[in-house]
Amino acid sequence: MSRALFLGLDLSTQALKASLLDANLQGVDEAQVRFDTDLPEFHTQGGILPKGDKLLDTPDAAAAPVAMYVAALDKLMDRIVHERKWPIERIAAISSAGQQHASVYFTHDAAKRLAGVSPEQPLAPQLERGVFSRAIVPNWQDATTLEECDELMRVANAAFGEKHVPALCRVTGSIAHTRFTAAQILRWRKHATEQYANTAHITLVSNFLTSLLCAGSVVTKNGMAPLDKSDACGMNLWDMSAKPPRWSAPVLQYVSKETRLDNEGRIHSGTTACGGRATLERMLGPVLADPAEPVGHIGQWLKRRYGFAQDCLVCQATGDNPATLQCLTPRFGEAVLSLGTSDTILLPSNAYVPDAQYHTFAHPAARDGDRSANATAPYFLMFVYKNGSLAREWVRNTYCGKSWDAFDQAIETSAQHAPGSEGVGFYWLRPEILPWDARGTHRFQRKGREWEQVSEFTDPRSNAMAMVQSQFLDFRMRIAQVLAASNAAEQRLERVYVVGGAAENRTLCQLLANVLGCEIARPVVQGRSADSNEHVAYNFCSVGAAYRARWVWECAQSGTAPSFEDTVANARKNGGAGAAYEVIARPDADRARAYAEFSDAWKVLEEYAIRAGAKANK
Ligand code: XUL
């Protein structure tokens, strides 16, 4: 077996994590630097600055100091080389993942300074001054850009025409979101004109980290690592509808002030004092179309300071959600469901069918023009539900004596009855994203042939089933709609990989199998340490990044272009890793049929509840 090792990094909100894998994708070790506790000098809470911090440009903004991320890389490298003694010289390729949407701002001197760093010193003191034109990195939790979102939606409508799906969504794959990069850059450009003028490059967290991995060398023409095509889709700036995709001219013109909007939503010329669209396009740099194309070789700083091999490949990095997709490698007809604070579904898709209700991203490992039977789906969709565990915990606390066992018991009892026979409920404790802006708690019970709205169920324990059932039926409805629109009317959902807290709950997983009518699987995400039989826990994003490194390396070594999924499956097979997942629930045919029949009636009630919530909020 090859002695080559693969490193995946993940720069997330709270930590910089690293996973080391062998050529068969078995975990060797993991390490991390947690921002709040390992770097207390930056005073972050949950990885972001406390409200009102002097670095923030608005007191209630959510952002992190960029200097902390640089210091974290110094610390992580020290830790993995000196404390954990990873065999760094065997690392053949590195790739990374970064929190999506967040942006990093560099000065005109930055490229030269990055290329000239000395291996004698850590990076942080060398990059402390004169390299970043903005001291902070806006975090995905930031919501200070509502006004800018509204402007971006109007600009796109004016430029591309209003239709059922808003223009910004048709063009960039998502409606405007406060955390997306376009709104963030726009707000910053308006309020920090001087910083904008001092800026030569804007990266995402993913290619910022890649640029640091290349420090000490000149790797690309403009001195920064290019953007990954999947991460570029989280910006509201990248025109995915164009062939080939490109930066959206009308959006860039507006963000850079080359155009302006009047009160009627018409576009007029603005000013090119800030350099206009061309300057902004230069700041953003290129987006690489081929995900298997490496960015270059390891920079001299890492090579000489820590002993990386000269030919260690630095691969493109992507966002954390695309990296999770790389880790779990769902094929078309499969999905990933993360049941966490919010519930998130990642669903590979064969067609570009943007919709205001979800995000459409380029698949991080799809190669354009690959027509083979095994080709990676070109897109993936992301659905985000805000009330996921909030609703589950509220029902557990209110009706099940704060006990998960009692909650499971209530669901198992209800599961013996026909779907909906004890009632249907909707629990949008916070305004929901899916369905958009749905609010309030709504309960319905059947009276004869009709449904009647009630303030409480005959047996209040029915709330447990009513709540989970509605969550899962909503997943079912949306996935079915998308698959139907995705060039494959006959395509059924075949398997869902479940991750996150609630995935440990067998009762919920069985219900999920029955409602979705497909297998529910849990990824097998353990490997063995190199020198013992000790199990190594995986972090999905950094492992997904290491998988990408392994694939890029294989493409470079063999000169062929195996699909990402085939490379991952073959590597695991060679290592005797066994199946990549464990099936934890299979649908019961009768129950699945009953849910399929019930879903139309349920949908009518959901629409009624959405209207009732909107009326109550007026
Ligand atoms: C996705 C999003 C978050 C961040 C977390 O749109 O905003 O999942 O990527 O880092």
Side-chain angles (χ1 to χ4, degrees), residues 530-557:
D531 348 278
S532 72
N533 282 345
E534 192 189 311
H535 273 86
V536 178
Y538 274 32
N539 166 48
F540 291 112
C541 298
S542 48
V543 170
Y547 280 16
R548 168 92 162 247
R550 172 70 177 78
W551 175 58
V552 174
W553 177 77
E554 178 147 336
C555 295
Q557 293 275 304

mmCIF file of all heavy atoms in Angstrom, residues 530-557:
data_model
loop_
_atom_site.group_PDB
_atom_site.id
_atom_site.type_symbol
_atom_site.label_atom_id
_atom_site.label_comp_id
_atom_site.label_asym_id
_atom_site.label_seq_id
_atom_site.Cartn_x
_atom_site.Cartn_y
_atom_site.Cartn_z
ATOM 1 N N ALA A 530 -2.616 4.850 13.375
ATOM 2 C CA ALA A 530 -1.505 4.176 12.711
ATOM 3 C C ALA A 530 -0.801 3.184 13.636
ATOM 4 O O ALA A 530 -0.413 2.105 13.224
ATOM 5 C CB ALA A 530 -0.515 5.202 12.204
ATOM 6 N N ASP A 531 -0.648 3.523 14.886
ATOM 7 C CA ASP A 531 0.157 2.635 15.736
ATOM 8 C C ASP A 531 -0.636 1.880 16.781
ATOM 9 O O ASP A 531 -0.063 1.231 17.629
ATOM 10 C CB ASP A 531 1.255 3.387 16.512
ATOM 11 C CG ASP A 531 1.466 4.779 16.056
ATOM 12 O OD1 ASP A 531 2.176 4.906 15.075
ATOM 13 O OD2 ASP A 531 0.900 5.699 16.666
ATOM 14 N N SER A 532 -1.924 1.974 16.788
ATOM 15 C CA SER A 532 -2.665 1.199 17.783
ATOM 16 C C SER A 532 -4.030 0.879 17.198
ATOM 17 O O SER A 532 -4.332 1.275 16.079
ATOM 18 C CB SER A 532 -2.839 2.028 19.055
ATOM 19 O OG SER A 532 -3.778 3.044 18.794
ATOM 20 N N ASN A 533 -4.830 0.192 17.936
ATOM 21 C CA ASN A 533 -6.163 -0.105 17.444
ATOM 22 C C ASN A 533 -7.187 0.915 17.910
ATOM 23 O O ASN A 533 -8.383 0.719 17.793
ATOM 24 C CB ASN A 533 -6.588 -1.507 17.894
ATOM 25 C CG ASN A 533 -5.927 -2.544 17.021
ATOM 26 O OD1 ASN A 533 -5.405 -2.207 15.962
ATOM 27 N ND2 ASN A 533 -5.921 -3.780 17.482
ATOM 28 N N GLU A 534 -6.655 1.960 18.444
ATOM 29 C CA GLU A 534 -7.492 3.026 18.986
ATOM 30 C C GLU A 534 -8.356 3.652 17.864
ATOM 31 O O GLU A 534 -7.860 3.869 16.766
ATOM 32 C CB GLU A 534 -6.513 4.083 19.480
ATOM 33 C CG GLU A 534 -7.074 5.168 20.328
ATOM 34 C CD GLU A 534 -5.951 6.193 20.500
ATOM 35 O OE1 GLU A 534 -4.816 5.781 20.837
ATOM 36 O OE2 GLU A 534 -6.206 7.345 20.254
ATOM 37 N N HIS A 535 -9.606 3.906 18.142
ATOM 38 C CA HIS A 535 -10.454 4.512 17.111
ATOM 39 C C HIS A 535 -10.272 6.015 17.060
ATOM 40 O O HIS A 535 -10.083 6.656 18.076
ATOM 41 C CB HIS A 535 -11.926 4.175 17.359
ATOM 42 C CG HIS A 535 -12.281 2.880 16.738
ATOM 43 N ND1 HIS A 535 -12.095 1.689 17.391
ATOM 44 C CD2 HIS A 535 -12.764 2.583 15.520
ATOM 45 C CE1 HIS A 535 -12.466 0.704 16.591
ATOM 46 N NE2 HIS A 535 -12.879 1.231 15.454
ATOM 47 N N VAL A 536 -10.328 6.540 15.861
ATOM 48 C CA VAL A 536 -10.164 7.978 15.671
ATOM 49 C C VAL A 536 -11.499 8.548 15.232
ATOM 50 O O VAL A 536 -12.071 8.107 14.246
ATOM 51 C CB VAL A 536 -9.120 8.240 14.557
ATOM 52 C CG1 VAL A 536 -8.964 9.722 14.299
ATOM 53 C CG2 VAL A 536 -7.798 7.601 14.927
ATOM 54 N N ALA A 537 -12.027 9.503 15.958
ATOM 55 C CA ALA A 537 -13.309 10.111 15.585
ATOM 56 C C ALA A 537 -13.092 11.017 14.384
ATOM 57 O O ALA A 537 -12.047 11.636 14.264
ATOM 58 C CB ALA A 537 -13.831 10.921 16.751
ATOM 59 N N TYR A 538 -14.060 11.073 13.507
ATOM 60 C CA TYR A 538 -13.941 11.917 12.315
ATOM 61 C C TYR A 538 -14.696 13.232 12.500
ATOM 62 O O TYR A 538 -15.741 13.270 13.113
ATOM 63 C CB TYR A 538 -14.605 11.212 11.130
ATOM 64 C CG TYR A 538 -13.756 10.240 10.372
ATOM 65 C CD1 TYR A 538 -12.765 9.495 10.970
ATOM 66 C CD2 TYR A 538 -13.986 10.050 9.017
ATOM 67 C CE1 TYR A 538 -12.025 8.587 10.243
ATOM 68 C CE2 TYR A 538 -13.257 9.140 8.284
ATOM 69 C CZ TYR A 538 -12.283 8.408 8.904
ATOM 70 O OH TYR A 538 -11.566 7.506 8.177
ATOM 71 N N ASN A 539 -14.156 14.268 11.886
ATOM 72 C CA ASN A 539 -14.908 15.499 11.703
ATOM 73 C C ASN A 539 -15.259 15.529 10.209
ATOM 74 O O ASN A 539 -14.371 15.539 9.363
ATOM 75 C CB ASN A 539 -14.014 16.682 12.102
ATOM 76 C CG ASN A 539 -14.580 17.989 11.619
ATOM 77 O OD1 ASN A 539 -15.751 18.263 11.797
ATOM 78 N ND2 ASN A 539 -13.753 18.790 10.974
ATOM 79 N N PHE A 540 -16.567 15.511 9.902
ATOM 80 C CA PHE A 540 -16.991 15.335 8.504
ATOM 81 C C PHE A 540 -16.301 16.294 7.528
ATOM 82 O O PHE A 540 -15.895 15.897 6.452
ATOM 83 C CB PHE A 540 -18.500 15.518 8.382
ATOM 84 C CG PHE A 540 -19.271 14.415 9.031
ATOM 85 C CD1 PHE A 540 -20.032 14.651 10.157
ATOM 86 C CD2 PHE A 540 -19.234 13.136 8.514
ATOM 87 C CE1 PHE A 540 -20.728 13.627 10.767
ATOM 88 C CE2 PHE A 540 -19.935 12.106 9.103
ATOM 89 C CZ PHE A 540 -20.687 12.347 10.247
ATOM 90 N N CYS A 541 -16.222 17.576 7.907
ATOM 91 C CA CYS A 541 -15.710 18.560 6.936
ATOM 92 C C CYS A 541 -14.235 18.339 6.637
ATOM 93 O O CYS A 541 -13.822 18.371 5.474
ATOM 94 C CB CYS A 541 -15.905 19.978 7.453
ATOM 95 S SG CYS A 541 -17.608 20.384 7.687
ATOM 96 N N SER A 542 -13.411 18.121 7.686
ATOM 97 C CA SER A 542 -11.994 17.951 7.406
ATOM 98 C C SER A 542 -11.728 16.598 6.739
ATOM 99 O O SER A 542 -10.834 16.480 5.903
ATOM 100 C CB SER A 542 -11.152 18.132 8.676
ATOM 101 O OG SER A 542 -11.672 17.394 9.731
ATOM 102 N N VAL A 543 -12.529 15.597 7.058
ATOM 103 C CA VAL A 543 -12.371 14.308 6.374
ATOM 104 C C VAL A 543 -12.782 14.465 4.902
ATOM 105 O O VAL A 543 -12.103 13.980 3.994
ATOM 106 C CB VAL A 543 -13.189 13.207 7.074
ATOM 107 C CG1 VAL A 543 -13.221 11.934 6.235
ATOM 108 C CG2 VAL A 543 -12.584 12.900 8.438
ATOM 109 N N GLY A 544 -13.889 15.192 4.669
ATOM 110 C CA GLY A 544 -14.321 15.442 3.280
ATOM 111 C C GLY A 544 -13.244 16.184 2.504
ATOM 112 O O GLY A 544 -13.039 15.943 1.307
ATOM 113 N N ALA A 545 -12.552 17.091 3.184
ATOM 114 C CA ALA A 545 -11.464 17.828 2.523
ATOM 115 C C ALA A 545 -10.311 16.872 2.195
ATOM 116 O O ALA A 545 -9.732 16.926 1.099
ATOM 117 C CB ALA A 545 -10.992 18.964 3.431
ATOM 118 N N ALA A 546 -10.000 15.975 3.128
ATOM 119 C CA ALA A 546 -8.913 15.008 2.866
ATOM 120 C C ALA A 546 -9.280 14.068 1.711
ATOM 121 O O ALA A 546 -8.427 13.677 0.917
ATOM 122 C CB ALA A 546 -8.599 14.215 4.133
ATOM 123 N N TYR A 547 -10.556 13.704 1.597
ATOM 124 C CA TYR A 547 -11.011 12.871 0.466
ATOM 125 C C TYR A 547 -10.723 13.605 -0.851
ATOM 126 O O TYR A 547 -10.307 13.019 -1.843
ATOM 127 C CB TYR A 547 -12.521 12.610 0.545
ATOM 128 C CG TYR A 547 -12.966 11.528 1.498
ATOM 129 C CD1 TYR A 547 -12.138 11.026 2.495
ATOM 130 C CD2 TYR A 547 -14.257 11.004 1.407
ATOM 131 C CE1 TYR A 547 -12.582 10.033 3.373
ATOM 132 C CE2 TYR A 547 -14.707 10.017 2.269
ATOM 133 C CZ TYR A 547 -13.868 9.539 3.252
ATOM 134 O OH TYR A 547 -14.322 8.576 4.105
ATOM 135 N N ARG A 548 -10.996 14.898 -0.838
ATOM 136 C CA ARG A 548 -10.750 15.688 -2.054
ATOM 137 C C ARG A 548 -9.260 15.649 -2.400
ATOM 138 O O ARG A 548 -8.880 15.497 -3.558
ATOM 139 C CB ARG A 548 -11.218 17.120 -1.796
ATOM 140 C CG ARG A 548 -10.803 18.159 -2.818
ATOM 141 C CD ARG A 548 -11.853 18.318 -3.907
ATOM 142 N NE ARG A 548 -11.682 19.552 -4.635
ATOM 143 C CZ ARG A 548 -12.539 20.575 -4.603
ATOM 144 N NH1 ARG A 548 -13.615 20.531 -3.869
ATOM 145 N NH2 ARG A 548 -12.327 21.649 -5.324
ATOM 146 N N ALA A 549 -8.408 15.787 -1.354
ATOM 147 C CA ALA A 549 -6.960 15.758 -1.584
ATOM 148 C C ALA A 549 -6.549 14.416 -2.195
ATOM 149 O O ALA A 549 -5.763 14.353 -3.139
ATOM 150 C CB ALA A 549 -6.222 15.996 -0.268
ATOM 151 N N ARG A 550 -7.122 13.350 -1.678
ATOM 152 C CA ARG A 550 -6.821 11.997 -2.156
ATOM 153 C C ARG A 550 -7.202 11.855 -3.627
ATOM 154 O O ARG A 550 -6.489 11.253 -4.432
ATOM 155 C CB ARG A 550 -7.589 10.993 -1.277
ATOM 156 C CG ARG A 550 -7.577 9.549 -1.715
ATOM 157 C CD ARG A 550 -6.215 8.919 -1.540
ATOM 158 N NE ARG A 550 -6.232 7.509 -1.889
ATOM 159 C CZ ARG A 550 -6.219 7.050 -3.140
ATOM 160 N NH1 ARG A 550 -6.175 7.882 -4.157
ATOM 161 N NH2 ARG A 550 -6.232 5.738 -3.355
ATOM 162 N N TRP A 551 -8.359 12.410 -3.984
ATOM 163 C CA TRP A 551 -8.871 12.319 -5.370
ATOM 164 C C TRP A 551 -7.990 13.140 -6.319
ATOM 165 O O TRP A 551 -7.586 12.658 -7.380
ATOM 166 C CB TRP A 551 -10.320 12.816 -5.388
ATOM 167 C CG TRP A 551 -10.960 12.896 -6.743
ATOM 168 C CD1 TRP A 551 -11.119 11.876 -7.640
ATOM 169 C CD2 TRP A 551 -11.544 14.056 -7.346
ATOM 170 N NE1 TRP A 551 -11.781 12.328 -8.753
ATOM 171 C CE2 TRP A 551 -12.055 13.661 -8.597
ATOM 172 C CE3 TRP A 551 -11.718 15.373 -6.937
ATOM 173 C CZ2 TRP A 551 -12.704 14.553 -9.456
ATOM 174 C CZ3 TRP A 551 -12.374 16.255 -7.779
ATOM 175 C CH2 TRP A 551 -12.860 15.855 -9.028
ATOM 176 N N VAL A 552 -7.679 14.356 -5.924
ATOM 177 C CA VAL A 552 -6.863 15.229 -6.781
ATOM 178 C C VAL A 552 -5.495 14.573 -7.013
ATOM 179 O O VAL A 552 -4.963 14.562 -8.121
ATOM 180 C CB VAL A 552 -6.703 16.633 -6.135
ATOM 181 C CG1 VAL A 552 -5.737 17.496 -6.930
ATOM 182 C CG2 VAL A 552 -8.055 17.318 -6.009
ATOM 183 N N TRP A 553 -4.950 13.987 -5.953
ATOM 184 C CA TRP A 553 -3.654 13.302 -6.040
ATOM 185 C C TRP A 553 -3.745 12.140 -7.019
ATOM 186 O O TRP A 553 -2.887 11.964 -7.871
ATOM 187 C CB TRP A 553 -3.273 12.826 -4.639
ATOM 188 C CG TRP A 553 -2.016 12.038 -4.539
ATOM 189 C CD1 TRP A 553 -0.743 12.523 -4.565
ATOM 190 C CD2 TRP A 553 -1.902 10.615 -4.378
ATOM 191 N NE1 TRP A 553 0.151 11.498 -4.418
ATOM 192 C CE2 TRP A 553 -0.532 10.309 -4.300
ATOM 193 C CE3 TRP A 553 -2.832 9.576 -4.275
ATOM 194 C CZ2 TRP A 553 -0.067 9.007 -4.131
ATOM 195 C CZ3 TRP A 553 -2.370 8.282 -4.114
ATOM 196 C CH2 TRP A 553 -1.004 8.006 -4.040
ATOM 197 N N GLU A 554 -4.844 11.351 -6.900
ATOM 198 C CA GLU A 554 -4.988 10.207 -7.808
ATOM 199 C C GLU A 554 -5.104 10.667 -9.262
ATOM 200 O O GLU A 554 -4.495 10.086 -10.160
ATOM 201 C CB GLU A 554 -6.210 9.360 -7.430
ATOM 202 C CG GLU A 554 -6.406 8.205 -8.386
ATOM 203 C CD GLU A 554 -6.982 6.969 -7.730
ATOM 204 O OE1 GLU A 554 -6.829 6.818 -6.505
ATOM 205 O OE2 GLU A 554 -7.574 6.163 -8.455
ATOM 206 N N CYS A 555 -5.877 11.712 -9.508
ATOM 207 C CA CYS A 555 -6.010 12.238 -10.878
ATOM 208 C C CYS A 555 -4.642 12.680 -11.377
ATOM 209 O O CYS A 555 -4.271 12.400 -12.518
ATOM 210 C CB CYS A 555 -6.980 13.427 -10.927
ATOM 211 S SG CYS A 555 -8.666 13.008 -10.523
ATOM 212 N N ALA A 556 -3.863 13.354 -10.513
ATOM 213 C CA ALA A 556 -2.549 13.863 -10.933
ATOM 214 C C ALA A 556 -1.577 12.701 -11.184
ATOM 215 O O ALA A 556 -0.828 12.707 -12.154
ATOM 216 C CB ALA A 556 -1.992 14.801 -9.863
ATOM 217 N N GLN A 557 -1.609 11.678 -10.323
ATOM 218 C CA GLN A 557 -0.701 10.531 -10.453
ATOM 219 C C GLN A 557 -0.992 9.719 -11.695
ATOM 220 O O GLN A 557 -0.092 9.313 -12.410
ATOM 221 C CB GLN A 557 -0.913 9.562 -9.268
ATOM 222 C CG GLN A 557 -0.518 10.092 -7.939
ATOM 223 C CD GLN A 557 0.944 9.892 -7.698
ATOM 224 O OE1 GLN A 557 1.427 8.782 -7.775
ATOM 225 N NE2 GLN A 557 1.641 10.972 -7.445
#
